[in-house]
């Protein structure tokens, strides 16, 4: 896994992306966040080489995010879909890892999600044809991830997250079949200082999502 810095100064915010995201897509949620944004690129994405098939577990991805935070001095973190699950795993093990956390479109907590065919993973979120073409190219490399991630949970027990004292913003969607609204509600409720915001879909409501995220990370 690699990461790239955008912006300068403090605070430093670690930004993780969802499965199949392009490097440009990974930057979108935090484009207005002040300070330094450290945007990661997971294996099997962008110019990164494909990992071993057993890479695709939430704790393994969490270990990479933990290393990136330590190497860059990140005190805040943003996870999208897959990396929101990895951040849940990280926080269950290290509750004081960050001062503020944003979890965008969480898909799993402590109940496994069902298997998802590749074509459904590509098309379920909608978007214009060029976006669908980008997702199809990205997911052509991710069959191992699609095979291994279903059946896993982000944390073994949501009660572990009660130890997290940092504010946590959870943004879910009411019309996204890949990221159930109920999971977002459960994730927000698992944190003592959890806050939930909902939109119909991320693609069609980027402006309010970016505003909530920017204001929250600005304190």
């Amino acid at each position: 896994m690699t990461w790239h810095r955008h912006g300068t100064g403090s605070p430093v915010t670690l930004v993780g992306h969802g499965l199949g995201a392009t490097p440009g897509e990974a930057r979108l949620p935090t484009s207005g966040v002040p300070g330094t944004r450290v945007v990661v690129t997971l294996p099997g994405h962008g110019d990164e080489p494909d990992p071993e098939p057993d890479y695709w577990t939430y704790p393994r991805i969490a270990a990479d995010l933990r290393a990136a935070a330590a190497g860059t001095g990140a005190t805040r973190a943003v996870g999208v879909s897959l990396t929101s699950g990895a951040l849940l795993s990280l926080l269950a093990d290290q509750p004081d890892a960050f001062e503020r956390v944003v979890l965008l479109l969480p898909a799993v907590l402590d109940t496994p999600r069902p298997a998802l065919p590749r074509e459904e993973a590509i098309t379920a979120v909608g978007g214009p044809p060029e976006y669908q073409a980008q997702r199809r190219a990205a997911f052509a490399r991710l069959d191992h991830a699609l095979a291994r991630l279903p059946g896993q949970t982000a944390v073994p027990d949501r009660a572990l997250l009660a130890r997290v004292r940092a504010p946590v913003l959870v943004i879910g969607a009411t019309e996204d079949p890949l990221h159930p609204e109920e999971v977002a509600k459960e994730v927000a409720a698992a944190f003592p200082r959890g806050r939930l915001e909902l939109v119909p879909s991320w693609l069609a409501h980027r402006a309010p999502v970016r505003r909530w995220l920017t204001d929250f990370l600005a304190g």
Side-chain angles (χ1 to χ4, degrees):
M1 188 191 78
T2 60
W3 58 82
H4 298 278
R5 294 176 181 266
H6 303 271
T8 58
S10 298
V12 179
T13 303
L14 183 72
V15 184
H17 60 77
L19 188 67
T22 65
E25 187 179 4
R27 294 195 301 270
L28 281 176
T30 57
S31 59
V33 171
T36 302
R37 303 177 305 283
V38 177
V39 182
V40 307
T41 302
L42 294 178
H45 292 74
D47 295 328
E48 289 299 290
D50 295 340
E52 294 297 320
D54 61 0
Y55 173 82
W56 298 107
T57 70
Y58 292 104
R60 178 65 184 84
I61 300 167
D64 274 354
L65 296 181
R66 192 196 312 263
T72 60
T75 59
R76 297 155 188 234
V78 178
V80 180
S81 190
L82 172 63
T83 53
S84 70
L87 284 175
L88 287 170
S89 178
L90 191 162
L91 290 168
D93 184 58
Q94 187 182 349
D96 59 350
F98 299 105
E99 296 174 355
R100 286 180 175 264
V101 178
V102 178
L103 303 174
L104 179 59
L105 300 178
V108 64
L109 181 54
D110 55 3
T111 301
R113 65 186 303 186
L116 189 68
R118 186 205 291 180
E119 189 63 19
E120 185 176 344
I122 293 168
T123 61
V125 297
E130 57 269 25
Y131 177 65
Q132 292 291 310
Q134 291 175 350
R135 285 181 65 80
R136 188 162 282 106
F139 272 92
R141 303 173 59 190
L142 296 171
D143 281 343
H144 288 305
L146 290 171
R148 287 185 58 85
L149 288 168
Q152 297 184 38
T153 61
V155 298
D157 184 348
R158 69 186 68 184
L160 293 169
L161 300 173
R163 302 177 299 160
V164 177
R165 299 304 171 193
V168 179
L169 172 62
V170 180
I171 302 176
T174 61
E175 299 174 4
D176 185 334
L178 301 184
H179 307 95
E181 173 186 356
E182 190 58 34
V183 174
K185 291 178 177 178
E186 292 174 352
V187 170
F191 292 101
R193 301 178 67 186
R195 167 186 160 192
L196 174 69
E197 298 286 356
L198 294 171
V199 292
S201 70
W202 148 243
L203 283 176
H205 297 81
R206 290 177 179 174
V209 169
R210 187 175 291 116
R211 183 172 65 252
W212 289 330
L213 194 150
T214 301
D215 290 349
F216 177 81
L217 290 175

